[in-house]
């Protein structure tokens, strides 16, 4: 009898915990995402598009249910379908439905999907050894030439982070235009353009210090693809690169992290 009462209490506590977070119960690794991708391609892509950005049916990247609701609500929509609009229920075992939840989140929700696989501790060492700290702040220290990466995983999807490193010039973050300023006295200064108006131009130089010039001193301002060194990724082994991505994936702002019950590592 007592055992049953305790079992009941335990079960309610479990439900409460589950209800509060409504979180995906699958283990955090690459497998569920990979098999979710297969199911998605077969059962969803025809209506919502191969990349989930919409087709005949709306974009999942803009869906409240995908982006804002607890995982459990997203799960329920898939299991039940959306009657009346022609979205069929996703039949099959619950685990397979959770896999689709994990996959769709990994493509649509920056920092909210399952953690990127890899060893974040080893990735932190790669971050330091590859010289990233010279230009970027993480965990409260680093340089200011590049954007602060403290909450990067909440702002950018893991695919976008990967691209930023593999091909820095592909997409330059706003406010980080790289320039070379040529001066009348023959010198030139490289850095990030911070502000310019009719009278002056201000940048952060490669030395990390602010520089201001009056227009009269400046003979030319040339844009460069990105201040971030090209070819950084090709100097890393695939394993080092994966660990680096895992480390950056753990850079999620503290508030959001506790909201979704995310353990840093
Ligand atoms: C036959 C076409 C079709 C298929 C297949 C389909 N959907 Fe849908 N889905 C729709 C339509 C249409 C809606 C629009 C509902 C509305 O307008 O409220 C929808 C709505 C949704 C929503 C809710 C969007 C929101 O924010 O209201 C989600 C999430 C979703 N689908 C995910 C999926 C996933 C994941 C799959 C694959 C397991 C899938 N759908 C398969 C047609 C489809
Ligand atoms: C010489 C300075 C410099 C170094 C070294 C550097 N970066 Fe950057 N990084 C930048 C600048 C400047 C930007 C913004 C311009 C751009 O997007 O190209 C940037 C952008 C990024 C972004 C995109 C940020 C966003 O807000 O979207 C990521 C991610 C990133 N760097 C990661 C790294 C990693 C990882 C390393 C080390 C392997 C590294 N960076 C090394 C200067 C640097």
């Amino acid at each position: 009898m007592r055992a049953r009462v305790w079992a009941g209490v335990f079960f309610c506590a479990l439900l409460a915990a589950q209800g509060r977070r409504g979180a995906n119960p699958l283990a955090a690794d690459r497998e569920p995402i990979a098999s979710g991708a297969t199911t998605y391609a077969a059962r969803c892509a025809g209506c919502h598009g191969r990349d989930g950005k919409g087709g005949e049916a709306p974009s999942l990247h803009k869906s409240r249910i995908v982006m804002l609701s607890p995982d459990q609500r997203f799960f329920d929509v898939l299991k039940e379908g959306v009657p009346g609009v022609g979205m069929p229920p996703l039949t099959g075992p619950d685990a397979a439905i959770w896999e689709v939840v994990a996959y769709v989140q990994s493509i649509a929700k920056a920092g909210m999907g399952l953690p990127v696989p890899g060893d974040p501790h080893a990735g932190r060492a790669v971050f330091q050894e590859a010289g990233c700290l010279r230009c970027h702040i993480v965990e409260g220290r680093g340089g200011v030439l590049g954007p602060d990466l403290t909450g990067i995983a909440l702002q950018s999807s893991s695919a976008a982070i990967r691209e930023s490193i593999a091909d820095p010039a592909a997409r330059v973050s706003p406010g980080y235009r790289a320039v070379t300023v040529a001066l009348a006295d023959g010198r030139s200064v490289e850095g990030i353009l911070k502000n310019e108006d009719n009278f002056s131009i201000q940048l952060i130089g490669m030395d990390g210090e602010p520089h201001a010039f009056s227009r009269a001193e400046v003979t030319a301002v040339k844009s460069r693809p990105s201040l971030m060194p090209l070819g950084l990724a090709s100097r890393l082994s695939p394993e080092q690169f994966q660990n680096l991505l895992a480390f950056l994936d753990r850079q999620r702002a503290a508030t959001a992290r506790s909201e979704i019950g995310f353990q840093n590592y």
Side-chain angles (χ1 to χ4, degrees):
M1 178 63 201
R2 177 168 295 172
R4 267 175 58 194
V5 169
W6 276 115
V9 168
F10 177 73
F11 188 62
C12 289
L14 202 70
L15 275 184
Q18 181 71 23
R20 193 180 69 244
R21 302 222 323 249
N24 193 330
L26 290 182
D29 61 31
R30 195 196 297 265
E31 302 315 319
I33 293 183
S35 39
T38 312
T39 311
Y40 180 88
R43 310 278 297 271
C44 322
C47 291
H48 291 281
R50 269 179 50 200
D51 53 4
K53 291 196 173 153
E56 188 185 306
S59 166
L60 297 177
H61 296 240
K62 293 183 186 143
S63 155
R64 280 187 72 78
I65 287 169
V66 177
M67 306 304 282
L68 299 173
S69 304
D71 297 356
Q72 183 69 51
R73 170 94 183 89
F74 183 9
F75 174 93
D76 293 342
V77 167
L78 298 186
K79 197 172 166 102
E80 287 153 26
V82 186
V85 298
M87 171 155 149
L90 179 57
T91 51
D94 284 3
I97 301 178
W98 282 119
E99 287 167 0
V100 175
V101 168
Y103 170 69
V104 172
Q105 289 177 336
S106 78
I107 60 171
K109 281 174 90 167
M112 295 291 184
L114 294 178
V116 167
D119 177 351
H121 293 284
R124 180 197 277 126
V126 175
F127 191 83
Q128 290 175 1
E129 283 151 21
C132 318
L133 210 53
R134 196 185 128 211
C135 297
H136 294 285
I137 294 178
V138 285
E139 300 176 340
R141 64 193 190 93
V144 296
L145 271 175
D148 185 334
L149 299 181
T150 305
I152 186 69
L154 288 178
Q155 295 147 19
S156 304
S157 68
S158 40
I161 294 175
R162 176 189 286 273
E163 190 190 34
S164 298
I165 303 166
D167 186 7
R171 194 183 54 93
V172 170
S173 329
Y176 289 91
R177 201 179 125 200
V179 292
T180 304
V181 174
L183 299 173
D185 65 9
R187 283 186 303 142
S188 70
V189 182
E190 288 174 72
I192 296 290
L193 182 66
K194 284 297 166 188
N195 199 18
E196 66 178 325
D197 57 32
N198 291 341
F199 309 104
S200 68
I201 176 160
Q202 286 134 41
L203 54 144
I204 307 262
M206 295 304 281
D207 51 5
E209 298 295 325
H211 297 261
F213 305 104
S214 75
R215 281 283 175 193
E217 296 174 89
V218 174
T219 53
V221 179
K222 274 198 224 116
S223 285
R224 305 179 30 187
S226 167
L227 206 66
M228 183 147 150
L230 306 176
L232 274 175
S234 58
R235 268 177 255 140
L236 303 175
S237 71
E239 193 191 351
Q240 285 175 318
F241 192 35
Q242 190 61 44
N243 292 340
L244 178 63
L245 292 175
F247 172 66
L248 292 174
D249 174 67
R250 303 310 186 273
Q251 308 312 315
R252 311 179 185 201
T255 48
R257 194 159 63 219
S258 59
E259 238 167 59
I260 58 176
F262 186 85
Q263 302 293 312
N264 214 3
Y265 24 115

